[in-house]
Amino acid sequence: MKKQFTRFLCAALGAAMLLALAGCGPKEGSGGGGDKTKVAFVSYMAVDQAEWLQNLDQGLKDYQSAHPELEIKLVEATQTSEYEPKVRALADAGYDIIITSYDNMAAATVAVAKDFPDIKFGSMDGAIPDLENCKNIQEFGLSRTETAYLAGVAAGMMTRTNKVGIVGGSDVGPINEIIAGWQQGMRSVNPDIEDVVVYANTFTDPTKGKELGLALIGKDCDIIGGAAGGTGVGAAQAAAEKSSYYVGWDVHYGDVVGDLELGSAVNFFDKMVIQFIEDAVGGKYTPGVRTIYGLKEGACDFEFLEGSKVSDEAKAAVEEARKAITEGRVEISSEPIHK
């Protein structure tokens, strides 16, 4: 009887230990350790309003499909009054990583982050005030200077009049970073080049863009750059009308200028945001600093259209500059040489 009891007790203890060990194992669907990591991206504009945002949305969906350990959600907050409530609702819902967009949402990001110190917040180009004092906000953005530098190299190699111009959407930081890279890139291959800068003060007026583009061509600029969103379409139309070369930003303009496009400085917002997510999940989260994702991370590039008239010599110069940038042999200032 005593032996029977002892065997029963040992069996019971063994079962209890197995249950305890089972409870310590990974949960179903966790990918090997804990629940899914919940990630949210909050957009200040509707997805269907911009091509880059549509690409970002699709990129995040594709990435989640390949990473079942993550749960990724894109939330639209199109009104100022929605910023903080929607960010706070995500925090209350237990999201581990919350990414907000641009300086529109800076105040809301800071306010919610203070109340949820354990959540990792990311601010895409948020211009967060006193960022170094934020314990759980990391700012990040695209390198606008690197691709603009390559665009400048192409322009510097291809100009015939030795004079080029650019239409900027507005006299603001991000656009001036583009102008800075553009000016330094062209001078790296053509020290005597002259460039003219004009600002449209709008990103949505093609008529204004065309007016400024024609004015630049009238000043003997034989290459026009357009870093002005929708306004840039008008600058491209001016280039097409006067048979001038055109350099684009964000998208290609072959449907407007045909083979007169020298290339476009394109950005891959999905790759940038995914890189930030991987850094945050993989232990490389660095709150209080601004991280730049550029050519090396595949977040941006300068692309030539098929059939472009860019010479082999110019393409080689662009490729050499790209290599020098990714290898850290080129330092590019974010301050324009002139405006």
Side-chain angles (χ1 to χ4, degrees):
M1 183 74 175
K2 185 175 181 181
K3 288 181 179 179
Q4 265 186 325
F5 176 77
T6 302
R7 284 197 297 269
F8 172 78
L9 181 61
C10 289
L13 288 171
M17 289 177 67
L18 287 172
L19 286 170
L21 288 170
C24 292
K27 297 181 181 178
E28 185 178 355
S30 67
D35 295 327
K36 289 186 176 184
T37 298
K38 299 175 69 175
V39 182
F41 181 91
V42 188
S43 171
Y44 79 100
M45 61 191 300
V47 171
D48 62 4
Q49 285 186 307
E51 184 177 353
W52 70 265
L53 192 52
Q54 294 163 20
N55 293 338
L56 170 60
D57 183 38
Q58 187 59 54
L60 291 177
K61 289 175 179 175
D62 293 342
Y63 184 73
Q64 180 176 322
S65 296
H67 294 81
E69 73 278 9
L70 299 176
E71 178 184 323
I72 305 176
K73 181 178 185 179
L74 190 149
V75 177
E76 296 176 348
T78 59
Q79 303 295 323
T80 305
S81 59
E82 295 179 318
Y83 296 165
E84 185 171 335
K86 289 198 172 182
V87 174
R88 191 170 295 277
L90 291 165
D92 284 329
Y95 275 77
D96 304 287
I97 301 169
I98 299 175
I99 304 166
T100 58
S101 51
Y102 297 107
D103 55 354
N104 311 53
M105 307 189 73
T109 306
V110 172
V112 180
K114 286 180 180 178
D115 294 338
F116 293 87
D118 295 329
I119 294 177
K120 296 175 181 176
F121 285 83
S123 173
M124 188 181 80
D125 283 329
I128 301 291
D130 301 317
L131 178 64
E132 66 276 7
N133 297 321
C134 297
K135 305 301 183 184
N136 61 329
I137 303 176
Q138 178 182 340
E139 193 170 308
F140 66 95
L142 289 161
S143 175
R144 294 177 174 85
T145 56
E146 291 180 353
T147 51
Y149 187 96
L150 298 183
V153 169
M157 293 292 294
M158 291 296 292
T159 180
R160 299 179 297 270
T161 64
N162 222 34
K163 190 172 183 180
V164 304
I166 188 169
V167 178
S170 183
D171 186 0
V172 294
I175 298 301
N176 286 329
E177 288 178 13
I178 289 172
I179 291 170
W182 162 259
Q183 292 172 334
Q184 292 165 77
M186 66 180 67
R187 283 169 174 77
S188 72
V189 294
N190 189 345
D192 298 323
I193 197 169
E194 182 181 352
D195 73 283
V196 182
V197 178
V198 292
Y199 296 102
N201 297 317
T202 173
F203 291 87
T204 58
D205 188 348
T207 301
K208 182 68 172 179
K210 185 173 183 179
E211 173 189 321
L212 293 174
L214 290 172
L216 288 171
I217 294 169
K219 293 180 179 180
D220 209 25
C221 296
D222 65 339
I223 297 176
I224 305 299
T231 301
V233 175
Q237 291 170 344
E241 185 176 302
K242 297 296 183 180
S243 298
S244 297
Y245 286 129
Y246 186 75
V247 178
W249 263 263
D250 299 326
V251 297
H252 287 287
Y253 289 82
D255 58 335
V256 180
V257 298
D259 60 6
L260 290 171
E261 184 192 287
L262 294 185
S264 182
V266 292
N267 298 317
F268 306 109
F269 286 86
D270 57 335
K271 293 182 180 180
M272 174 183 64
V273 173
I274 287 168
Q275 184 64 61
F276 172 79
I277 293 171
E278 290 184 344
D279 287 349
V281 172
K284 295 181 181 179
Y285 181 69
T286 52
V289 302
R290 174 177 170 82
T291 301
I292 299 297
Y293 298 114
L295 293 170
K296 192 173 182 179
E297 294 77 21
C300 56
D301 203 355
F302 184 76
E303 295 181 342
F304 299 109
L305 279 178
E306 186 175 350
S308 169
K309 291 183 177 180
V310 178
S311 68
D312 290 342
E313 185 182 11
K315 288 182 178 178
V318 170
E319 186 54 39
E320 174 55 35
R322 178 188 284 106
K323 184 178 179 182
I325 291 170
T326 56
E327 292 178 352
R329 293 187 281 114
V330 175
E331 290 187 13
I332 311 171
S333 170
S334 60
E335 293 296 323
I337 295 172
H338 70 86
K339 295 183 183 180

